[in-house]
Amino acid sequence: MSKNKQTAIVPIREQNYAEWYQQVIKAADMAENSDVRGCMVIKPWGYAIWENIQRALDIMFRETGHRNAYFPIFIPKSYFEKEAEHVEGFAKECAIVTHSRLEPDGAGGLKVAGELTEPYIVRPTSETIIGASFAKWVSSYRDLPLLINQWANIVRWEMRTRLFLRTAEFLWQEGHTVHETEAEAMEETRKMLGVYATFAKEFLALPVIQGEKTESEKFPGAVTTFCIEAMMQDKKALQSGTSHFLGQNFAKSSGIRYQSRSGEFEYAWTTSWGVSTRLIGALIMAHSDDNGLVLPPKIAPSHVVIIPIYRNEEEHEQVITFAKELEKQFKQLSFEGVKIYTELDDRDLTSSERNWYWIKKGIPVRIEIGPRDIAQNTVMVARRDQEPRDKEAVAVENLVSFIPTALSAMQEGYYQRALAFREENTVEIDDKDQFYKYFTPKNSGQPEIHGGFANAHWCGSEVCEEQIKTDLKVSIRCIPFESKEEAGKCICCGKESRRRVIFAKSY
RNA sequence: CGGGAUGUAGCGCAGUCCGGUAGCGCGCUCGGUUCGGGACCGAGAGGCCGGAGGUUCAAAUCCUCUCAUCCCGACCA
């Protein structure tokens, strides 16, 4: 084994970002491709992150008045057909169940049988099936608002997949709400986007830009789509969550009507919003480094690993006893409302082997305990946000305050680092040539990391949007809520523009 | 669905051009020495070479067909 290796992950980010991403996942043992095309197996370390995401978000949903429910994974084709735009948007990526039975084929195998009278679509999203229920649940304005969330798996038959970022099956949460008025529905749409933005910041240490999608980028069937966009370390944008104002489109197609205060029948106003396991991809690409996964402590499956170091059985005994005592003390610890979990890694591997194992998994704090430490009643502490070799001797009695403090500092540090990175790579551009130059790699054969977020004027025309997409593979990520009215010239056609939008390459 | 590539041990690969009955590294198992920055020694297990047909005394290797995967495009959270 070479001792000259500089980094735990090969290739490093700047050599081949896409490959680096795959290797980080593999090194941290988070997930793997399954034999089922396009589907992933989420392994315990990756799934624990998802569970932490779920736990935190679920509380936020609950606090904003939502309740969880569960709807069928199968959607009758006829439900799907009711909303024209919706059909158009998802038709090309549906898995369809047409049969209900297997029979012997006479050659030792099985053949499908029992054709269904109506095919079922495996949900790519649930607006239509949930709408059918909502139509029954809602009859009066007194039934509103109806605030429902479901945690589920969904299937979108993607042609090209990447672990966590785009898989044929993925896990997500979809909120579906029904409101009496347009204003209330719009407020809900905004509110839940805000919840996502807060969650991203507070838990994922991920700074996001909130904004509105353009007509061509919005959800099929929505009137308006809001999104949170985050910058990854290759300066590309990742849509990390969406919230849709559906107007009365789905209410009309599903028949969600209520009797108003004046006794009239009115179509309700609905919203839907979701985040998925893609957030884990965001997490990886926003924070990880050339030594592997880096996890914001508030979302990490475990926070501290204790690595006993010893030379013989006698020392082992002494060190392990000491380590177990510490582990016990740590069980009481928490930081910012998050319980601290500790690993004790006493595997028969060299200490450095164990250290690197946990570095690659992104555990925030590593604690080495050897005979020398016990003699001095200290331990050596290393943080994932510092160099692998940087260690600090900490007195044992200070650990219970040191650890939570370090975790909080790391959480904040990662956010600040990601925010600084995004700001460094966000520019205002008013010149078309400069814009094209900004998004053109110097080495076209193997493009280097380039570009970023470009704040530029856009006239609002889909023609210009499409032109830039064709020329540069750059799209309008969103029209930020924060963008203020400002006279300017469209970066593409030069016509009058009222505001800047964010252009970027995206996932 | 178009263009390109690849299928050989759990993983990564060599062997294919030029046919002769399968090898390397890592990992794994056992024993021992190690352990404060990716250890070492010794022993061992593990492969009908993606599948089907063909050519041949003989096929991982040549031919035909097929299946699968990956990359690049069109599409997407």
Side-chain angles (χ1 to χ4, degrees):
Chain A
M1 179 57 74
S2 166
K3 289 181 180 176
N4 303 328
K5 209 181 277 181
Q6 299 291 308
T7 59
I9 303 296
V10 178
I12 61 172
R13 286 164 290 183
E14 62 179 37
Q15 286 169 336
N16 185 342
Y17 194 82
E19 180 62 20
W20 165 83
Y21 174 77
Q22 305 287 349
Q23 293 304 323
V24 169
I25 292 171
K26 197 172 166 184
D29 204 26
M30 301 171 81
E32 61 192 22
N33 280 306
S34 81
D35 293 343
V36 182
R37 185 201 188 105
C39 295
M40 63 180 161
V41 174
I42 306 176
K43 301 183 79 173
W45 194 253
Y47 197 73
I49 294 170
W50 179 241
E51 288 180 307
N52 287 342
I53 290 173
Q54 281 186 300
R55 193 171 297 125
L57 274 174
D58 208 53
I59 289 168
M60 296 174 87
F61 296 157
R62 171 96 197 207
E63 284 174 352
T64 42
H66 304 83
R67 293 296 181 269
N68 288 332
Y70 188 79
F71 299 85
I73 190 171
F74 303 120
I75 302 178
K77 185 162 80 67
S78 57
Y79 283 30
F80 220 77
E81 288 162 348
K82 288 177 186 168
E83 217 294 325
E85 262 189 59
H86 195 60
V87 180
E88 204 179 315
F90 287 105
K92 280 173 281 181
E93 50 186 49
C94 286
I96 301 134
V97 179
T98 55
H99 291 75
S100 67
R101 220 169 45 235
L102 292 169
E103 289 175 352
D105 65 357
L110 294 166
K111 62 177 180 189
V112 296
E115 187 170 353
L116 305 179
T117 51
E118 180 179 1
Y120 287 137
I121 293 163
V122 181
R123 63 177 164 226
T125 179
S126 303
E127 276 74 9
T128 56
I129 187 92
I130 291 180
S133 283
F134 283 2
K136 290 186 236 172
W137 297 359
V138 173
S139 54
S140 154
Y141 71 90
R142 291 192 180 91
D143 297 324
L144 302 178
L146 179 58
L147 308 173
I148 298 294
N149 178 64
Q150 113 165 324
W151 290 96
N153 61 332
I154 63 175
V155 169
R156 295 182 185 173
W157 213 257
E158 300 290 349
M159 302 191 192
R160 289 192 62 195
T161 58
R162 295 183 69 188
L163 290 174
F164 292 118
L165 294 178
R166 176 165 299 112
T167 46
E169 181 192 19
F170 59 93
L171 306 181
W172 81 344
Q173 141 294 300
E174 49 181 324
H176 294 269
T177 69
V178 188
H179 306 265
E180 193 179 343
T181 65
E182 178 175 13
E184 273 178 44
M186 184 53 92
E187 190 194 332
E188 166 80 4
T189 313
R190 286 246 186 186
K191 182 202 281 175
M192 296 321 288
L193 190 79
V195 165
Y196 289 155
T198 303
F199 170 76
K201 179 179 181 183
E202 298 297 323
F203 287 86
L204 306 180
L206 191 67
V208 296
I209 292 173
Q210 301 183 57
E212 182 177 339
K213 283 294 187 190
T214 63
E215 190 62 23
S216 68
E217 296 272 339
K218 77 177 170 56
F219 176 75
V223 173
T224 311
T225 289
F226 296 139
C227 62
I228 50 173
E229 294 282 333
M231 183 184 284
M232 303 295 102
Q233 291 181 81
D234 61 352
K235 306 180 191 176
K236 285 162 78 171
L238 183 73
Q239 180 176 310
S240 312
T242 49
S243 183
H244 316 293
F245 170 67
L246 303 173
Q248 292 178 311
N249 292 350
F250 287 91
K252 283 177 178 165
S253 62
S254 298
I256 307 171
R257 296 198 304 165
Y258 68 94
Q259 223 171 343
S260 72
R261 289 157 208 267
S262 59
E264 304 293 311
F265 280 98
E266 307 274 2
Y267 282 109
W269 301 82
T270 66
T271 81
S272 68
W273 27 274
V275 295
S276 70
T277 36
R278 179 177 246 203
L279 285 177
I280 298 174
L283 205 58
I284 296 165
M285 288 202 292
H287 301 306
S288 298
D289 62 20
D290 295 334
N291 286 324
L293 190 63
V294 170
L295 290 169
K298 284 175 81 171
I299 217 73
S302 279
H303 307 89
V304 180
V305 60
I306 299 172
I307 299 172
I309 292 164
Y310 48 88
R311 276 176 303 235
N312 52 48
E313 203 37 55
E314 190 191 333
E315 284 183 0
H316 182 210
E317 187 80 12
Q318 184 196 10
V319 171
I320 203 75
T321 305
F322 194 85
K324 280 183 174 162
E325 182 52 40
L326 272 188
E327 188 189 22
K328 210 163 123 191
Q329 281 182 35
F330 292 172
K331 283 209 166 89
Q332 316 302 323
L333 294 182
S334 66
F335 75 109
E336 297 183 33
V338 177
K339 181 173 161 52
I340 292 176
Y341 284 96
T342 304
E343 306 283 339
L344 176 54
D345 188 353
D346 189 35
R347 289 177 299 169
D348 186 21
L349 297 169
T350 63
S351 58
S352 59
E353 184 75 28
R354 285 175 284 161
N355 255 309
W356 282 104
Y357 174 89
W358 289 104
I359 290 169
K360 287 182 282 192
K361 280 184 117 61
I363 203 157
V365 173
R366 308 188 305 282
I367 295 179
E368 292 178 14
I369 305 174
R372 295 210 295 266
D373 299 306
I374 294 175
Q376 296 161 37
N377 211 34
T378 62
V379 294
M380 296 305 292
V381 180
R383 287 165 51 152
R384 188 60 183 86
D385 62 345
Q386 295 168 352
E387 289 301 306
R389 283 180 165 72
D390 288 347
K391 286 183 288 189
E392 182 185 346
V394 176
V396 169
E397 64 268 26
N398 293 338
L399 276 176
V400 293
S401 66
F402 182 95
I403 291 172
T405 306
L407 293 175
S408 291
M410 292 166 82
Q411 181 79 29
E412 176 64 14
Y414 292 146
Y415 177 79
Q416 291 303 336
R417 189 173 67 180
L419 181 62
F421 183 83
R422 189 186 77 194
E423 284 174 349
E424 280 161 24
N425 292 290
T426 300
V427 293
E428 283 199 355
I429 303 183
D430 293 316
D431 177 74
K432 189 170 181 177
D433 288 343
Q434 203 188 328
F435 185 88
Y436 272 63
K437 202 174 159 193
Y438 185 68
F439 285 116
T440 305
K442 292 188 178 72
N443 179 359
S444 58
Q446 200 191 345
E448 76 282 2
I449 292 173
H450 66 283
F453 285 4
N455 255 312
H457 274 280
W458 175 56
C459 64
S461 150
E462 280 192 38
V463 177
C464 289
E465 191 181 7
E466 191 54 40
Q467 186 67 51
I468 285 168
K469 209 169 177 177
T470 309
D471 291 350
L472 299 168
K473 291 180 203 158
V474 165
S475 57
I476 297 174
R477 298 324 303 155
C478 70
I479 305 156
F481 290 164
E482 288 183 3
S483 87
K484 43 196 178 297
E485 291 258 333
E486 175 194 299
K489 305 267 189 254
C490 177
I491 197 72
C492 185
C493 68
K495 287 183 191 153
E496 293 296 317
S497 158
R498 306 274 289 285
R499 58 164 46 85
R500 290 176 187 274
V501 299
I502 293 176
F503 286 92
K505 297 197 178 185
S506 71
Y507 278 93

